[in-house]
Amino acid sequence: QNWMRGMSYCLHSESHLDAGPIYVRENGKLHVVNQGAGGIQNVIPKTRPFRLFSKGFSVELCMNREDDRARRQRTDHFIFTYTKEGNLRYSAKSLFSLVLAYISDNVDHIDSLIGFPEQIAEKLFSAAEARQKFTEPVTGLRALQKFTEAYGNLVLCSLCLRNRYLVISEKLEEIKSFRELTCLDLSCCKLGDEHELLEHLTKEALSSVKRLLLKDNSLSDAGLRRMTAPVRVLKKGLENLLVLDLSCNPKITDVGIGYLLSFRKLNCLDISGTGLKDVNAVIKRIQTQMGLVHSKVPLKEFDHSNCRTEGWAEQTVLQWEQAVMEAMKPQDTLRSHTAALRFYGKTRRIEAAVKHKLVETETTASGNLQFYKEKVQSCHLPLKKEVAGSRELKNNKKRPLAEQETERTSKQKHLCLTVEDWDLLNTY
């Protein structure tokens, strides 16, 4: 009775706050206090629908907000889709995709990828490529080197940089990081004899190159001597070269062609548009010493359509090219100047001169000097060669020892190195 009086006092107290229904638990049962009658009733509480959040609650997905200043493209942990009814539905991403995204964001901090599975490494490379991690100046080079050291030609087996001199100058270190390339197209880049990339061709990292296109690169005899020095002396460098294009390099003369004799495995050679003095003598020399035949028809091996960029880093090279093109966009502000020149007719003269130069290069290159190696067709030829070889052995036995010694000394004189070759070898 005492606690009932206290409860009724609390209920009838003059207070402006509405406390709502009051529940009292007694002997394991729940009772509600009736404010109107001042008594207690046994009631069963109504079950309310379960709500995790209140009605006015809203959620905003904010991840990696500290990197928003760098304007990097980030993805959240959810995949949003629409149902047939038009309702928005979201589902959580897999743990593998979340881990892959995290590693690709920090790919430059990886110590090594040697021994890592190729299937997962390809997905990791594509994820980092989508975030444009390899376009960054310092961290991109470090990350690209980790992949090239571990996977070699899987990252890139063929590289086409035709007419892309700006890409070479901007991303030279990244290009030098590619290993085990089999095809390299550097046509129309005007590199010259002293370029660092031509020196890199003699390294062991590019000893796997089988197809090299150096058309219109302002090369001379000095550049060919430097490029062939490791092959001629150390049997390293471009010793596995099969296809070589040196066309439209007018500074290459008969002396420079002599350096190409060290490429024993060469199957196709193009020296059209070079500065040869005695063309017939060069053709005979190539046929006798290299075993190549002069082709009267242009060969398909020197067609640019056959050379393309292939590998994991194909999109990376395109990103480099797009970045270079975007950097050149401020030059569009010079339209007023070009319009003034066009009004005075100066641009017409310049365009005519450029067209005239292009015609000159095409006419000089029209003298086809492409060579290829014939395939052995009949199986009876080796038998004849063996018979001829046995006859030569018999003749060699009949020769006096003095003649054989003279031949050996002549070969040794032919293998002697010049002072310039020794200077080149000291640089490696």
Side-chain angles (χ1 to χ4, degrees):
Q1 296 293 333
N2 292 329
W3 68 269
M4 285 292 296
R5 292 177 182 175
M7 184 65 67
S8 62
Y9 175 78
C10 293
L11 290 174
H12 295 284
S13 63
E14 295 180 355
S15 61
H16 299 284
L17 297 176
D18 186 9
I22 300 175
Y23 297 92
V24 178
R25 182 178 295 277
E26 183 180 3
N27 297 326
K29 294 182 181 181
L30 189 64
H31 306 277
V32 62
V33 178
N34 191 359
Q35 296 181 3
I40 301 176
Q41 297 179 359
N42 295 330
V43 295
I44 301 174
K46 297 181 179 180
T47 58
R48 297 181 179 180
F50 177 75
R51 284 184 180 272
L52 184 61
F53 303 105
S54 61
K55 293 182 179 181
F57 184 79
S58 62
V59 180
E60 181 184 0
L61 295 175
C62 300
M63 299 185 60
N64 298 325
R65 183 174 290 275
E66 66 276 3
D67 294 334
D68 289 344
R69 296 178 182 178
R71 296 181 181 178
R72 298 180 181 178
Q73 296 180 356
R74 301 292 182 181
T75 57
D76 48 18
H77 290 183
F78 300 96
I79 303 174
F80 293 91
T81 56
Y82 284 94
T83 60
K84 295 180 180 180
E85 293 79 10
N87 298 325
L88 184 63
R89 179 180 296 176
Y90 64 92
S91 59
K93 291 184 178 180
S94 63
L95 181 60
F96 176 77
S97 60
L98 296 178
V99 173
L100 195 67
Y102 179 79
I103 297 176
S104 61
D105 289 334
N106 303 277
V107 68
D108 55 312
H109 297 290
I110 297 176
D111 292 334
S112 178
L113 288 171
I114 297 175
F116 200 68
E118 299 175 0
Q119 295 82 0
I120 303 178
E122 184 178 1
K123 295 181 180 179
L124 179 61
F125 188 91
S126 61
E129 191 178 51
R131 288 164 170 78
Q132 296 186 355
K133 297 292 294 185
F134 302 114
T135 58
E136 299 176 1
V138 179
T139 59
L141 174 61
R142 191 186 306 125
L144 190 62
Q145 288 175 349
K146 301 300 180 182
F147 282 96
T148 54
E149 289 175 0
Y151 305 103
N153 60 352
L154 292 177
V155 178
L156 208 65
C157 62
S158 178
L159 179 59
C160 180
L161 295 173
R162 189 183 183 94
N163 288 319
R164 292 177 175 86
Y165 178 78
L166 294 177
V167 178
I168 295 175
S169 60
E170 291 292 331
K171 299 294 181 180
L172 180 60
E173 295 298 328
E174 286 82 353
I175 294 171
K176 290 169 61 177
S177 65
F178 293 122
R179 298 188 176 190
E180 300 181 8
L181 287 173
T182 58
C183 180
L184 182 60
D185 188 358
L186 300 174
S187 302
C188 306
C189 288
K190 304 291 185 180
L191 298 179
D193 297 331
E194 303 294 332
H195 201 274
E196 188 177 353
L197 185 57
L198 291 178
E199 182 181 356
H200 181 66
L201 291 175
T202 60
K203 304 297 182 181
E204 294 183 0
L206 293 181
S207 61
S208 59
V209 174
K210 297 182 179 179
R211 190 177 180 211
L212 181 61
L213 306 179
L214 296 173
K215 178 181 179 181
D216 192 11
N217 270 287
S218 303
L219 297 177
S220 64
D221 298 338
L224 293 183
R225 179 174 57 84
R226 180 175 300 176
M227 190 172 62
T228 58
V231 183
R232 289 185 285 112
V233 181
L234 302 175
K235 304 299 179 182
K236 295 181 179 180
L238 299 172
E239 56 181 353
N240 297 317
L241 198 62
L242 299 179
V243 179
L244 179 60
D245 186 5
L246 295 173
S247 60
C248 299
N249 289 298
K251 295 182 181 180
I252 296 178
T253 62
D254 305 358
V255 179
I257 301 300
Y259 297 125
L260 303 178
L261 302 177
S262 57
F263 296 135
R264 300 296 181 183
K265 298 181 181 180
L266 200 64
N267 292 333
C268 297
L269 176 64
D270 189 1
I271 54 174
S272 305
T274 55
L276 301 179
K277 297 179 180 179
D278 193 351
V279 179
N280 294 327
V282 172
I283 292 174
K284 284 185 178 180
R285 189 177 184 183
I286 292 175
Q287 289 178 350
T288 55
Q289 299 186 13
M290 300 182 68
L292 301 179
V293 181
H294 182 216
S295 177
K296 298 180 181 180
V297 182
L299 301 175
K300 63 179 181 179
E301 284 78 7
F302 300 105
D303 188 7
H304 174 66
S305 60
N306 295 329
C307 184
R308 62 191 65 183
T309 303
E310 297 178 356
W312 297 352
E314 180 179 355
Q315 296 296 325
T316 302
V317 179
L318 293 178
Q319 290 175 359
W320 294 345
E321 187 177 1
Q322 291 176 359
V324 172
M325 295 301 293
E326 290 178 358
M328 293 176 62
K329 282 184 178 179
Q331 294 182 357
D332 295 337
T333 57
L334 300 175
R335 290 180 180 177
S336 60
H337 180 66
T338 55
L341 292 177
R342 189 177 301 169
F343 176 77
Y344 290 104
K346 292 183 179 181
T347 54
R348 293 181 180 178
R349 296 178 184 177
I350 296 172
E351 289 174 358
V354 172
K355 290 181 180 178
H356 184 64
K357 290 181 180 179
L358 292 174
V359 172
E360 286 180 357
T361 54
E362 289 177 357
T363 52
T364 53
S366 61
N368 187 18
L369 288 177
Q370 296 180 355
F371 300 86
Y372 68 97
K373 183 173 289 186
E374 288 183 337
K375 296 181 180 179
V376 180
Q377 298 178 355
S378 61
C379 59
H380 299 286
L381 292 177
L383 296 175
K384 294 181 180 179
K385 290 182 179 180
E386 289 178 359
V387 174
S390 61
R391 291 179 182 176
E392 290 180 357
L393 289 174
K394 292 180 180 179
N395 294 328
N396 288 330
K397 289 181 180 179
K398 293 180 181 180
R399 290 179 185 177
L401 296 174
E403 294 180 358
Q404 295 180 1
E405 290 179 357
T406 53
E407 288 181 357
R408 291 176 182 174
T409 53
S410 64
K411 290 181 179 179
Q412 290 177 357
K413 290 180 181 180
H414 180 70
L415 293 175
C416 288
L417 301 178
T418 60
V419 179
E420 296 177 350
D421 290 336
W422 283 112
D423 293 337
L424 281 174
L425 291 175
N426 289 329
T427 59
Y428 292 101

